[in-house]
Amino acid sequence: MTNARKIIIDTDPGQDDAAAIMLALGSPEEIDVLGVTTVAGNVPLTLTTRNARIVCELCNRTDVKVFAGAERPVARPLVTAEHVHGKTGLDGPALTEPTMPLEEQHAVDFIIETLLAEAPGTVTLCTLGPLTNIALALTKAPEIAPRVRELVMMGGGFFEGGNITPAAEFNVYVDPEAAEIVFRSGIPIVMMPLDVTHRVLTHRARVEKIRAIGSPAAVALAEMLEFFERFDIEKYGTDGGPLHDPTVIAYLLRPELFTGRDCNVEIETTSALTTGMTVVDWWQVTGRTHNAKVMRHIDDEGFFELLTDRLARL
C-alpha cells in the first residue's frame, strides 16, 4: 500500500458509517486506513466503539486499529439518533459481539501522534460523525493543523436545509462548537452536505445488488440499509433513504463523481432556532475568506457502482 492514500476514519457507526468503512477497507490499493477513531454521535460511545469493531470483523480486517474517543460534545449534552439507527446503531442484521481488541490509547492522542509522526501533508482525516475528536486534537496540539493533507467530512447542508432541525444537519448539530473549531483551523476541508447525500438513495434495486454479492459484509450491509432507510422513506417519501457517509470515501476514490465550489462556511452556535447551521456563502456575497470546498452534486449511479464493486472485493 505504498502508494495508497493514508487516512484516519473518525466515525460514530451508524449503518451509513458501516458502508463507508466497508468502502474504504474494500479499496486497499488506494486507501491505507491507519486507524479508526470513534466518537459519540448516532449512539453513545460504547456502542459506536463496539460497532466499528463489528464492521472491521465483517470485513475480515481485524488488523485495523480502533480507538475510542470523546463520549460527549465539547460544550453541550450529547444528542443521539436511535430513532434513525435503532438502539444499537447497527440495527437490521443479527450481529455477534466483536472479539477484536480495542486499543488502549485515546482516539485524540492517536490522531495527534499519527499526524506528528507521518510526513506533513500525507494524512487525510475522514470524518463521518460529530467533529469532537478533531476539535479536541486541534485544541490540545494546534501544531497538527498544517500537517493535515485534507479533512473530508460528511456534515452540514445549505439549500437542502437540515435533517435534525429545519436548519441543522445532525453531525454539526451534535457538536457545533467542535465544528466551529475545525472550520477555523485552516485545514483544507471538503464538505459533503445533505445537498449531496440526499441524491444517493438506497433504491431497492441498488440494495439487492449489494445483497447479491453474498458475502457476510454485503448481506449484513443490505440488512442494515433496509432498517436504516425506513425512517427516511417515511420522512421524505422516496424510494430508499440517503446514504450519507460513504460519499466521504467515494470522494477520495473518484473525485470526478462530485462537483462543488470553494466557499466560506460559518457555524451557528448560539441561536435557539438555528444552532448547528452551516452558513454556506455559496453565492460569494460576504467577501469572507474561503475555508471549505463545498460539494453540491454527485453522479449517484457512478457512486453506487463504485460502492458495489468495492464491497465485492472484501
Side-chain angles (χ1 to χ4, degrees), residues 20 60 120 131 143 170 213-214 216 219 237-238 261 266 274 285 303 311:
N60 291 317
L131 290 162
E143 67 271 21
F170 178 81
I213 294 168
V219 172
T238 53
R261 65 174 65 160
E266 300 292 335
T274 60
V285 296
F303 167 83
L311 289 169

Side-chain angles (χ1 to χ4, degrees), residues 53 56-65 99-101:
R53 289 179 290 151
C56 290
E57 290 184 357
L58 283 170
C59 298
N60 291 317
R61 288 295 304 275
T62 56
D63 60 299
V64 175
K65 295 181 178 181
T99 59
M100 64 181 284

Side-chain angles (χ1 to χ4, degrees), residues 72-78 132 135-136 174-181 269:
R72 63 180 65 87
V74 168
R76 60 184 68 218
L78 175 65
T132 315
L136 291 174
V174 169
D175 200 344
E177 286 79 15
E180 183 177 49
I181 290 169
T269 61

Side-chain angles (χ1 to χ4, degrees), residues 4-62:
R5 185 163 179 168
K6 296 177 179 180
I7 72 169
I8 295 172
I9 300 176
D10 190 69
T11 180
D12 62 337
Q15 291 91 344
D16 57 324
D17 303 71
I21 294 168
M22 290 181 184
L23 178 56
L25 297 182
S27 308
E29 296 85 5
E30 295 165 87
I31 290 180
D32 180 5
V33 180
L34 301 179
V36 173
T37 54
T38 61
V39 65
N42 288 322
V43 288
L45 182 68
T46 54
L47 288 173
T48 62
T49 303
R50 163 192 181 266
N51 294 347
R53 289 179 290 151
I54 287 174
V55 175
C56 290
E57 290 184 357
L58 283 170
C59 298
N60 291 317
R61 288 295 304 275
T62 56

Side-chain angles (χ1 to χ4, degrees), residues 44-265:
L45 182 68
T46 54
L47 288 173
T48 62
T49 303
R50 163 192 181 266
N51 294 347
R53 289 179 290 151
I54 287 174
V55 175
C56 290
E57 290 184 357
L58 283 170
C59 298
N60 291 317
R61 288 295 304 275
T62 56
D63 60 299
V64 175
K65 295 181 178 181
V66 178
F67 303 81
E71 61 183 5
R72 63 180 65 87
V74 168
R76 60 184 68 218
L78 175 65
V79 175
T80 55
E82 288 89 348
H83 64 289
V84 178
H85 297 274
K87 64 181 182 180
T88 70
L90 292 183
D91 280 22
L95 298 170
T96 58
E97 292 299 311
T99 59
M100 64 181 284
L102 176 66
E103 300 297 316
E104 293 184 5
Q105 188 178 28
H106 193 281
V108 170
D109 294 324
F110 168 74
I111 292 167
I112 294 170
E113 180 180 284
T114 302
L115 287 169
L116 293 178
E118 298 287 343
T122 61
V123 177
T124 297
L125 302 177
C126 298
T127 64
L128 314 180
L131 290 162
T132 315
N133 285 337
I134 311 304
L136 291 174
L138 287 166
T139 302
K140 186 174 182 178
E143 67 271 21
I144 65 175
R147 302 180 70 90
V148 178
R149 174 174 175 177
E150 199 168 44
L151 186 149
V152 186
M153 60 171 286
M154 189 278 131
F158 49 114
F159 296 124
E160 192 71 11
N163 64 354
I164 188 68
T165 74
E169 177 275 329
F170 178 81
N171 286 342
V172 179
Y173 177 80
V174 169
D175 200 344
E177 286 79 15
E180 183 177 49
I181 290 169
V182 171
F183 274 89
R184 292 183 175 181
S185 69
I187 294 172
I189 295 172
V190 178
M191 175 175 148
M192 295 292 165
L194 298 178
D195 304 77
V196 166
T197 67
H198 281 184
R199 297 174 184 268
V200 285
L201 300 178
T202 55
H203 297 162
R204 180 167 299 183
R206 290 168 170 170
V207 175
E208 289 308 314
K209 283 185 179 179
I210 291 172
R211 191 195 317 276
I213 294 168
S215 66
V219 172
L221 181 60
E223 294 175 355
M224 289 181 204
L225 296 181
E226 287 177 329
F227 179 91
F228 176 59
E229 68 186 10
R230 90 216 180 285
F231 175 82
D232 288 315
I233 289 172
E234 181 177 347
K235 180 178 180 181
Y236 299 115
T238 53
D239 174 13
L243 192 53
H244 306 282
D245 292 339
T247 59
V248 168
I249 305 301
Y251 177 79
L252 302 184
L253 296 168
R254 297 290 181 270
E256 67 273 11
L257 295 175
F258 300 84
T259 58
R261 65 174 65 160
D262 293 326
C263 296
N264 177 268
V265 180

